[in-house]
Amino acid sequence: MTDVAETTATLPNVVYHQIGKPLVRTDAPGKATGKTPYAGDYVMPGMVQAKVLRSPQASARLVRLDVERARALPGVVCVLTARELPDRLAPTDIPGQTGQARLKTDQQILVRERVRYHGEPLALIAAESTDIAEHAMSLIDYELAPLPGVFDPAEAMQPGAPLVQGEDNVVARHVIRKGDIAGGFAAADLVIERTYRTQFIEHAFLEPEVGLAWVDENGVVNIRVSTQVIEHFRFIADAIGVAHNKVRIMGALVGGGFGGKEDITVEVYLALLAKHTGRPVRLEFSREDSFMGHGKRHPFALTYKTGIKRDGTITALDARILSDAGAYVYLSPYVLLYAAVAAPGPYRIDNLNVEAASVATNNMYTSAFRGFGAAQACIAYEQQMDEIADALKLDRLELRRRNYLKTGDPIATGATVPSAIWTERCADLAWQALGERKEPDGPLRYGRGIAAYQQSYGRLTFLHDTSEAWVGVEVDGTVIVRSGVTDIGAGQASALAQIAIEILGVTMDNVVVYNSDSAVTPLAGTTTATRALYMTGNAVRLAAEAVRGRLLARAAQAFQTSAEHIELANNRVSVLDNSARAMPFAELVKMCAADGIQRQELSIFRAPFSDKLDPETGQGQAHPDYTYGAHAIEVAVDTETGEVSIVQSIACHDVGQCINPAAVEGQIEGGAAQGQGYALSEEMIYRDGKLMTPSFSEYLIPTAMDVPKVKSIILESRSGLGPFGAKGIGEPSLTPVAPAIANAVVDAIGVRIYDLPITPEKVVRALQALDGGSETKSGDGGTVNR
């Protein structure tokens, strides 16, 4: 195990008054008492209800669409088809608030001529009630002529395949090349090749997409919506043909996003209907609508070919990655790039070749999901590490120790991680926490698995990412924070409050955060890519430090000492080492107000910038920094039924610095539950592009009865780029869970299932094949060359 005194570029130990404490979050009381309004709770007088008519086919030509009977139905206010819309498109690729050009991948708002996926919208209906709107949908006559479709990305790349996007259906390619790949394999004593497959996954958030829109007296389209990105106002304005300042997005607290509310969902439909009806319009997706109304997690096929020395040293890795983009591009190029960069995981591999492609099909489009490509890569590289250990008959953790990246090592793209890399420490602690192994019990077989990871936080460095925040102090000593950040349930807004009060020396009951309004809060960028704490937290830090500096100067004048000898803490101002010389914080603020000293600041935080990765080699800096950690799992497998139960779930992550430990634990526990579903039960099943699992009756997410208590081991290197040395944990908490479970199942039953999810049916089939003496493992498997 690593010496805990390992030298790293960390901040010194600091005693904080508010940071690192499990304070009650600002959003907690309202949620606990049921008083918090979510987007679906807002109503207005004269409001109409909207519905979306969707295509029942995945690939077809729209021959006829007759909506006259629906329009004639009493209570129907408006029916829109593509004929009534401006000749504009809806955005799918949204790199952020920087004004950079987006990829030319936008999609039709409503079908004009061609249907590309099952569920693509044909018409919008607004009526006096939801029942009337649904009745109107049944009165719409349409004719769809089936067209040849393609539903497998490998087939979609073949010459003559039906075209969904572009000239060859390939929507993105990325390569990472480093060292001498041929020489690396020549130096290997053993070469292992395996193919791993992941599935379509639904975000399954508690709150389906919902919003309310109205046009005010100034002609501004206002939209109260559940979203991760209030900056969508620009793209909505472009889609409906108005100036950017004529669309306002007001985000409510979000009942779960996980990337599924990163793209535009209901907003354009709401804006169009509000403009056409002149009345407030409410649109709420049913669960079935939600299954068809936002992008899914990309299915991946990942073929890993690894060269290894007898002592376990990795000499070369060739990774081939293929992702299914579905019918439209959305964020597929970026998800693919994240996967390519993450392909080797937290391991030093000097000879590397990664070739990745994302391909359009007539399946449901795919986009952002917690883990954003790096999660799929982890499923491959961590199972591959166990396969290597098995072939070498080497302890799984020992194999990993011999190959882990160390602090200061270059990663796959040649960039050096600026923070500490504590992977080995995390893996050892998580593994040790499992305790003694359990013996078989009747048909139950117990197994253990480990998975480590490398996960970026912050967006791609070539996107010029920025975030703004405003911090001010009122005359009575209370603090206000204003930020456009959306709070998607992780306590993003509350974290900003905790940062501000630490710097300004007040307590949580003396701060209010106003957030998520594109018209009145400084724009903070997307709540995506594990960037909110890093980007917006740093913006709040800068603003609060500017205000603090002016307060300290005035306090120093009052106490006739230097600013360095002044402490702001717990709503008091005092001279260090002389507590008798003190005053209430509010008194200092009144002095500043009387003297005309500025007590507020608007600050902007700019992420590190670099050029794009070299297109030929993939070398360069891709992200600002990375989080490292590990997850250990113990499973029980019923060899008669194939059922897999999680017995122990142990997470260990270096989060840099906890802002709120309770919030960090919540993220880790949620990531563990979501990763468990990814590994064992969740799958969006499409047959010829048609969704066969359209509700929670068929799409199986873990319940409270399935998920064990998650043990969180939180390390703090204080080396991250976030405020106070914090790193991101939102996405990292999920990334290693599924491969750890997959490795635990192999440990229990002696056979690997290479395609997720690991369902009871697959387990039973794998055991039957094993009992029958078959040498082929379940799934694609691969080869071992000696």
Side-chain angles (χ1 to χ4, degrees):
M1 181 175 173
T2 311
D3 181 358
V4 295
E6 175 189 353
T7 300
T8 57
T10 60
L11 296 175
N13 288 329
V14 179
V15 176
Y16 294 117
H17 296 282
Q18 307 295 336
I19 292 298
K21 307 295 192 297
L23 305 182
V24 175
R25 283 173 22 182
T26 56
D27 58 319
K31 289 180 175 178
T33 59
K35 295 179 180 179
T36 296
Y38 287 84
D41 295 320
Y42 289 92
V43 296
M44 293 182 72
M47 179 180 71
V48 295
Q49 302 284 348
K51 296 293 289 185
V52 181
L53 176 68
R54 300 180 179 278
S55 168
Q57 296 191 33
S59 182
R61 180 171 59 87
L62 179 59
V63 177
R64 181 174 58 87
L65 181 60
D66 185 350
V67 299
E68 293 310 312
R69 284 201 306 155
R71 283 177 174 158
L73 181 68
V76 170
V77 179
C78 179
V79 180
L80 295 180
T81 70
R83 291 191 296 270
E84 288 77 45
L85 302 188
D87 191 16
R88 294 172 180 267
L89 300 174
T92 60
D93 166 71
I94 303 173
Q97 73 280 12
T98 61
Q100 292 193 59
R102 298 181 294 109
L103 299 179
K104 303 299 183 182
T105 59
D106 294 349
Q107 72 175 84
Q108 56 192 347
I109 297 171
L110 297 174
V111 172
R112 288 186 179 275
E113 296 179 356
R114 181 182 174 189
V115 171
R116 287 181 171 83
Y117 69 92
H118 177 218
E120 188 160 13
L122 301 174
L124 304 175
I125 301 99
E128 299 293 350
S129 71
T130 301
D131 288 343
I132 295 173
E134 290 178 346
H135 186 191
M137 281 201 300
S138 69
L139 298 178
I140 295 176
D141 295 321
Y142 58 89
E143 180 182 349
L144 296 172
L147 293 173
V150 61
F151 309 103
D152 179 271
E155 294 177 5
M157 298 175 72
Q158 298 302 313
L163 290 179
V164 183
Q165 294 289 339
E167 298 179 354
D168 59 2
N169 290 325
V170 178
V171 301
R173 291 185 187 273
H174 295 297
V175 298
I176 307 288
R177 295 193 175 101
K178 182 180 179 183
D180 178 4
I181 191 72
F185 278 114
D189 296 321
L190 191 69
V191 176
I192 296 178
E193 184 172 356
R194 299 282 188 267
T195 296
Y196 308 92
R197 296 184 182 275
T198 70
Q199 72 277 37
F200 281 99
I201 288 289
E202 159 64 22
H203 300 78
F205 26 67
L206 288 174
E207 172 203 39
E209 297 85 340
V210 61
L212 173 67
W214 68 97
V215 181
D216 66 21
E217 63 278 6
N218 297 313
V220 175
V221 179
N222 296 267
I223 308 175
R224 175 73 73 176
V225 68
S226 176
T227 181
Q228 295 178 232
V229 187
I230 64 169
E231 278 85 348
H232 283 328
F233 74 88
R234 298 188 180 102
F235 310 121
I236 296 164
D238 289 343
I240 67 174
V242 301
H244 288 186
N245 66 355
K246 291 296 185 180
V247 175
R248 177 184 183 184
I249 300 291
M250 291 172 281
L253 283 174
V254 178
F258 316 117
K261 294 171 183 172
E262 177 175 348
D263 300 310
I264 289 174
T265 56
V266 298
E267 295 95 321
V268 171
Y269 305 146
L270 284 165
L272 287 168
L273 288 170
K275 281 192 66 181
H276 277 80
T277 64
R279 293 173 61 177
V281 179
R282 182 179 184 274
L283 173 57
E284 177 181 355
F285 282 178
S286 65
R287 184 59 62 182
E288 290 75 14
D289 279 327
S290 184
F291 272 44
M292 296 183 179
H294 68 260
K296 310 307 167 192
R297 188 190 287 281
H298 293 74
F300 272 42
L302 308 102
T303 298
Y304 271 52
K305 179 181 176 183
T306 310
I308 321 101
K309 289 284 193 182
R310 292 284 179 192
D311 66 0
T313 303
I314 298 174
T315 63
L317 171 64
D318 182 271
R320 307 299 170 101
I321 300 173
L322 182 63
S323 85
D324 190 339
Y328 291 98
V329 180
Y330 281 82
L331 297 175
S332 292
Y334 301 108
V335 172
L336 188 73
L337 179 57
Y338 277 60
V341 171
Y347 304 104
R348 179 157 185 166
I349 301 178
D350 294 328
N351 304 303
L352 176 68
N353 181 61
V354 181
E355 296 185 15
S358 188
V359 183
T361 68
N362 288 111
N363 292 320
M364 179 65 186
Y365 62 85
T366 45
S367 192
F369 199 125
R370 190 180 197 174
F372 208 79
Q376 290 95 322
C378 187
I379 286 168
Y381 63 69
E382 281 303 276
Q383 290 191 85
Q384 185 79 343
M385 291 301 287
D386 265 29
E387 291 286 281
I388 293 168
D390 182 59
L392 294 175
K393 302 188 184 309
L394 188 65
D395 178 79
R396 290 177 284 177
L397 264 72
E398 181 58 31
L399 171 69
R400 289 170 167 81
R401 291 188 193 105
R402 295 179 186 183
N403 292 283
Y404 281 137
L405 288 165
K406 305 296 184 184
T407 300
D409 281 348
I411 62 170
T413 65
T416 300
V417 177
S419 65
I421 301 177
W422 282 7
T423 316
E424 183 174 345
R425 188 181 310 185
C426 291
D428 286 347
L429 288 173
W431 190 256
Q432 290 173 6
L434 289 174
E436 296 296 324
R437 292 186 68 99
K438 293 181 174 61
E439 296 298 324
D441 181 10
L444 293 182
R445 298 293 182 270
Y446 293 92
R448 294 180 166 188
I450 188 79
Y453 68 90
Q454 172 183 284
Q455 178 83 48
S456 62
Y457 64 94
R459 304 181 71 204
L460 294 163
T461 50
F462 59 77
L463 290 178
H464 296 265
D465 201 11
T466 63
S467 184
E468 299 178 14
W470 184 98
V471 175
V473 182
E474 296 299 324
V475 177
D476 65 352
T478 55
V479 174
I480 294 177
V481 177
R482 293 187 173 96
S483 168
V485 70
T486 53
D487 193 317
I488 61 174
Q492 284 87 356
S494 187
L496 302 185
Q498 208 159 343
I499 292 165
I501 65 173
E502 175 65 44
I503 294 169
L504 293 175
V506 300
T507 51
M508 206 68 161
D509 56 339
N510 281 322
V511 63
V512 171
V513 180
Y514 294 101
N515 69 298
S516 193
D517 187 327
S518 67
V520 299
T521 54
L523 297 181
T526 64
T527 302
T528 66
T530 312
R531 69 175 287 284
L533 175 63
Y534 163 53
M535 294 296 299
T536 307
N538 271 327
V540 167
R541 174 185 60 82
L542 291 173
E545 286 175 348
V547 175
R548 174 188 172 89
R550 300 183 194 113
L551 295 175
L552 288 177
R554 183 63 183 87
Q557 179 186 346
F559 289 121
Q560 296 183 335
T561 186
S562 64
E564 291 77 15
H565 290 91
I566 301 295
E567 181 180 48
L568 305 180
N570 299 314
N571 304 314
R572 291 186 60 77
V573 184
S574 60
V575 178
L576 290 171
D577 302 323
N578 189 346
S579 58
R581 301 181 66 192
M583 71 174 79
F585 180 75
E587 184 176 335
L588 173 61
V589 177
K590 288 175 183 176
M591 289 181 181
C592 292
D595 290 352
I597 295 172
Q598 184 178 340
R599 306 179 316 283
Q600 63 278 325
E601 186 75 18
L602 174 65
S603 293
I604 183 169
F605 177 75
R606 297 175 176 86
F609 167 73
S610 67
D611 293 329
K612 291 185 177 181
L613 300 183
D614 185 298
E616 300 299 322
T617 65
Q619 295 299 289
Q621 183 178 356
H623 301 98
D625 194 18
Y626 298 87
T627 300
Y628 296 87
H631 205 102
I633 288 286
E634 184 174 49
V635 300
V637 182
D638 189 319
T639 55
E640 293 179 348
T641 67
E643 183 179 4
V644 179
S645 301
I646 308 298
V647 179
Q648 292 191 80
S649 186
I650 315 289
C652 186
H653 304 273
D654 169 26
V655 302
Q657 167 66 55
C658 278
I659 302 301
N660 186 319
V664 171
E665 288 180 1
Q667 285 294 286
I668 292 172
E669 291 163 3
Q674 203 164 36
Q676 180 176 329
Y678 195 9
L680 298 178
S681 62
E682 297 185 38
E683 183 175 16
M684 302 289 287
I685 299 173
Y686 294 90
R687 292 180 184 165
D688 293 332
K690 185 173 183 179
L691 179 61
M692 308 305 293
T693 52
S695 73
F696 287 153
S697 296
E698 305 87 10
Y699 184 85
L700 305 179
I701 61 174
T703 70
M705 299 296 292
D706 302 312
V707 181
K709 182 177 181 180
V710 178
K711 180 176 181 180
S712 300
I713 304 171
I714 300 172
L715 304 184
E716 297 179 294
S717 67
R718 287 182 172 163
S719 66
L721 301 186
F724 306 99
K727 293 188 174 191
I729 190 58
E731 291 180 290
S733 62
L734 172 138
T735 295
V737 179
I741 292 172
N743 286 337
V745 171
V746 180
D747 187 51
I749 66 174
V751 58
R752 184 173 298 280
I753 296 165
Y754 289 89
D755 55 316
L756 298 187
I758 304 172
T759 62
E761 295 84 356
K762 291 178 183 177
V763 171
V764 169
R765 287 198 297 267
L767 288 171
Q768 290 173 342
L770 190 65
D771 290 342
S774 171
E775 296 181 358
T776 303
K777 294 183 179 181
S778 174
D780 292 280
T783 59
V784 178
N785 300 316
R786 301 182 186 276

